[in-house]
Amino acid sequence: MPSRRKPSKHAREHVPLDVTRIQGGSTREETYAGTRWTVRSVSGASATRAYLCPGCSQDVPPGLPHVVVWPAEGVGGLGDRRHWHTGCWQRRDARPPGNAYR
């Protein structure tokens, strides 16, 4: 037997799933050394491992918010991703490209 209840005036409208938000960061494109890069912010809660920052050659410790960067062209793989301190990525144009750090 069908329900006789009327739909609530306060019923929520369907909102599509935001996969980027669920994955814990916002994704954007930026340039460095003449190449386009996809950049994703990682929250401290999502940072569960230590990584080596290519900007300063220091550890990005677990629990520290940072950015993950990979080439925007093509699909790329896990080996193409680099974890940078947020500040190092923001100052990336002050350092020479090609893993040369002065």
Side-chain angles (χ1 to χ4, degrees):
M1 186 161 141
S3 173
R4 294 184 185 196
R5 291 181 4 169
K6 292 182 182 179
S8 169
K9 291 180 184 178
H10 303 290
R12 292 186 181 186
E13 185 177 318
H14 174 72
V15 178
L17 185 63
D18 184 352
V19 175
T20 301
R21 192 173 132 247
I22 290 171
Q23 290 174 335
S26 61
T27 303
R28 61 196 179 277
E29 274 194 15
E30 298 183 18
T31 59
Y32 173 57
T35 305
R36 287 186 347 206
W37 298 86
T38 301
V39 181
R40 174 173 290 152
S41 298
V42 177
S43 70
S46 298
T48 59
R49 289 184 40 199
Y51 298 96
L52 185 65
C53 174
C56 66
S57 298
Q58 300 294 314
D59 280 340
V60 178
L64 183 71
H66 62 280
V67 294
V68 180
V69 180
W70 64 92
E73 294 295 321
V75 176
L78 291 177
D80 295 326
R81 297 187 312 176
R82 298 291 176 259
H83 294 253
W84 291 66
H85 294 106
T86 303
C88 291
W89 178 252
Q90 290 170 345
R91 293 184 302 276
R92 66 193 177 276
D93 290 325
R95 66 183 281 278
N99 293 330
Y101 187 79
R102 293 186 226 177

